[in-house]
Amino acid sequence: MKIIVAGGDGFCGWPTALYLSKQGHEVSIVDNLVRRKMDEELHSNSVTPIASLEERVAKWKELTGKEIKTFIGDLNHYDFLREVFKQTNPDAFVHFAEQRSAPYSMIDREHAVFTQSNNVIGNLNVLFAIKELAPDCHLIKLGTMGEYGAPNIDIEEGYIEIEHNGRKDKLPYPKQPGSFYHLSKVHDSHNIMFACKIWGIRATDLNQGIVYGLHTDETELHPILNNRLDYDGVFGTALNRFLIQSAIGHDLTVYGAGGQTRSFLNIKDTVRCIEIAANNPAEKGEFRVFNQFTEYFSVKELAERTKRVAEEMGLSPKIANIENPRIEAEEHYYHAVNTNLRDLGLEPNLLTDEVLKEILNVALDNKDRVIKENVLPQVTWK
Ligand code: NAD
Ligand code: USQ
């Protein structure tokens, strides 16, 4: 299959591109490298040293003989995107290429506007390019579990059957996103659903939970293939942050009461979920939604597990319930369905102590790279 991985220089996209290439697909990466520029803007970095995209794909070719083409450019530039479609004629377009940090989108007006225009217009351009140049191409779009928020009822996969005043319908599940970033994903979902309806595009919206870990079998082949690992208060995500905080002797930063429950999955399952979606395309005109996670935990539970495992490794982290910089429920009901990917063959890599130790060891090996001033959150929702 000819597959474009947009955002293929990023945390989820890079291991996905390698994995799909290993499976024999013809992979092309599209990325404007904006995430690397954001590190410069925030005076931050990845805990693991990361090679340039050029070096990465050259090393992959040297080790495996497989070529990954790269197109450096912005999805917001439609002429560039058309050219990519013309040159690659994709069967599937895996779309990771968005600004993905909730705190980044809440810094100020400029960052909110950038996030929504980058994400919504980029995605709209992808829809138009599929319509114009590759109408059979399957759009595999990364959404987020955060589109649903934390309702006091079970979260279904994209749709819910509702009975109202004696009539029934299957409707899009209500959305209650918690940041301008999460809102951009909701806007994307609506645009994709509409494009499927009017143009007969086939699309899968993968509402992904929080991804932890960094290594896959492919990224571990050589240090040049290293994946990035974020820890700062803007791009670092809950579990990865706690593990890195343990490594540097920082208190584990549980925001508020810590009863915030979220869905999680290992990066090894992210790459597999994309393959499953690609191998089982949506029908023409179908807007399909899969909830892409394997387990859910409260933030407090994750901090406690991290603390216990870190102690077994001779470290002594403490849990600090710091003032929550976000506006969100700190204790709530949470139950979400995730059967679609399981039914198509996903065998989850669950969060074991071994997995926690592996990530902690990577953090310990690289702890001197952490810029400590970046660890505490500085962006607030107010
Ligand atoms: P990332 O920031 O590491 O990677 C995104 C990549 O997209 C970067 O390399 C960036 O340079 C590129 N990009 C951004 N805007 C672009 C544009 N306009 N044109 C071309 N390239 C562009 O993010 P990630 O963690 O790999 O996340 C990938 C996707 O998965 C995002 O859409 C995100 O919303 C979603 N997601 C991530 C997580 C997670 O925990 N990391 C969880 C759920 C969903
Ligand atoms: N949190 C802490 N301490 C921290 C960091 C976070 O308590 O040090 C809490 C937050 O307040 C929040 C929860 O942990 O309640 C998750 O925060 P996060 O930063 O780990 O994740 P989030 O902002 O939701 O965003 C991440 C990715 C995003 C993706 C989303 C999936 O950055 O791209 O869409 O996870 S989901 O959460 O399912 O929406």
Side-chain angles (χ1 to χ4, degrees):
M1 217 182 287
K2 285 172 285 179
I3 306 184
I4 291 180
V5 179
D9 187 46
F11 169 64
C12 297
W14 173 241
T16 301
L18 296 185
Y19 183 72
L20 294 174
S21 171
K22 186 173 129 193
Q23 306 306 314
H25 298 292
E26 215 178 293
V27 175
S28 302
I29 285 177
V30 178
D31 203 300
N32 64 353
L33 311 181
V34 67
R35 178 66 191 88
R36 292 176 187 254
K37 291 183 197 119
M38 286 165 178
D39 274 345
E40 286 167 25
E41 176 197 348
L42 301 167
H43 306 289
S44 195
N45 58 351
S46 157
V47 171
T48 43
I50 47 171
S52 69
L53 181 56
E54 217 182 345
E55 292 170 307
R56 284 173 152 186
V57 294
K59 181 55 74 180
W60 178 247
K61 181 150 188 213
E62 183 191 316
L63 294 173
T64 65
K66 294 182 188 296
E67 182 166 8
I68 296 179
K69 285 202 197 103
T70 55
F71 295 87
I72 306 302
D74 193 327
L75 297 187
N76 282 262
H77 298 157
Y78 192 60
D79 289 347
F80 160 77
L81 188 59
R82 287 184 86 227
E83 201 45 47
V84 173
F85 267 76
K86 281 186 187 160
Q87 287 189 29
T88 56
N89 190 22
D91 301 302
F93 188 102
V94 182
H95 183 7
F96 288 109
E98 297 202 329
Q99 191 301 96
R100 70 109 173 123
S101 155
Y104 190 88
S105 75
M106 302 300 290
I107 292 175
D108 57 16
R109 189 195 68 85
E110 278 80 8
H111 289 81
V113 169
F114 168 76
T115 300
Q116 293 213 352
S117 57
N118 184 63
N119 295 2
V120 177
I121 297 170
N123 182 60
L124 204 50
N125 280 343
V126 172
L127 291 169
F128 272 90
I130 291 176
K131 171 185 184 263
E132 189 187 349
L133 298 156
D136 243 356
C137 173
H138 177 204
L139 172 61
I140 300 171
K141 167 69 169 55
L142 271 291
T144 176
M145 285 301 290
E147 290 185 38
Y148 304 116
N152 201 30
I153 56 170
D154 293 353
I155 295 172
E156 305 297 329
E157 300 203 67
Y159 299 90
I160 184 168
E161 271 205 23
I162 293 184
E163 189 172 344
H164 180 63
N165 291 348
R167 300 181 66 82
K168 274 192 189 162
D169 205 347
K170 192 176 172 195
L171 296 170
Y173 195 94
K175 305 288 174 77
Q176 303 184 77
S179 72
F180 287 121
Y181 153 70
H182 287 96
L183 272 153
S184 74
K185 295 288 192 185
V186 174
H187 304 327
D188 286 344
S189 296
H190 287 147
N191 284 343
I192 301 169
M193 188 177 180
F194 183 67
C196 289
K197 189 159 76 180
I198 59 170
W199 298 331
I201 285 176
R202 48 177 102 235
T204 304
D205 204 359
L206 295 172
N207 282 341
Q208 186 170 238
I210 302 171
V211 183
Y212 61 83
L214 78 161
H215 281 320
T216 60
D217 292 347
E218 294 70 50
T219 63
E220 272 184 315
L221 284 177
H222 192 277
I224 294 281
L225 303 180
N226 256 356
N227 199 6
R228 62 175 304 130
L229 182 59
D230 294 307
Y231 64 91
D232 62 49
V234 177
F235 275 94
T237 51
L239 179 55
N240 279 352
R241 254 165 80 70
F242 295 156
L243 291 161
I244 294 159
Q245 289 165 352
S246 304
I248 62 166
H250 194 287
D251 288 353
L252 308 191
T253 55
V254 170
Y255 297 167
Q260 302 94 308
T261 300
R262 297 288 183 270
S263 322
F264 287 81
L265 75 163
N266 191 308
I267 185 77
K268 291 179 178 160
D269 287 336
T270 294
V271 304
R272 176 80 181 111
C273 289
I274 303 296
E275 186 197 25
I276 290 174
N279 287 344
N280 299 276
E283 298 296 326
K284 272 188 94 56
E286 185 187 8
F287 175 63
R288 193 173 62 166
V289 184
F290 294 170
N291 290 346
Q292 181 168 314
F293 69 91
T294 55
E295 298 172 273
Y296 37 82
F297 305 99
S298 72
V299 171
K300 188 167 48 188
E301 267 177 274
L302 287 178
E304 281 160 5
R305 277 191 72 176
T306 303
K307 180 172 185 292
R308 181 175 52 71
V309 166
E311 280 168 353
E312 284 171 23
M313 290 173 66
L315 301 163
S316 45
K318 292 192 203 63
I319 296 176
N321 288 83
I322 64 173
E323 189 185 344
N324 195 339
R326 307 185 183 198
I327 295 176
E328 60 183 359
E330 291 176 9
E331 298 288 351
H332 56 88
Y333 175 78
Y334 195 86
H335 184 268
V337 175
N338 63 344
T339 43
N340 284 343
L341 283 159
R342 299 284 291 267
D343 290 349
L344 289 172
L346 177 67
E347 284 167 21
N349 285 285
L350 298 179
L351 184 64
T352 60
D353 288 359
E354 278 319 301
V355 170
L356 290 169
K357 283 179 187 162
E358 264 172 47
I359 307 166
L360 189 45
N361 273 323
V362 176
L364 284 166
D365 287 345
N366 295 285
K367 67 178 187 178
D368 292 345
R369 290 176 50 84
V370 173
I371 302 167
K372 297 215 168 76
E373 304 80 70
N374 291 343
V375 174
L376 282 174
Q378 279 157 21
V379 181
T380 71
W381 265 223
K382 290 183 182 119

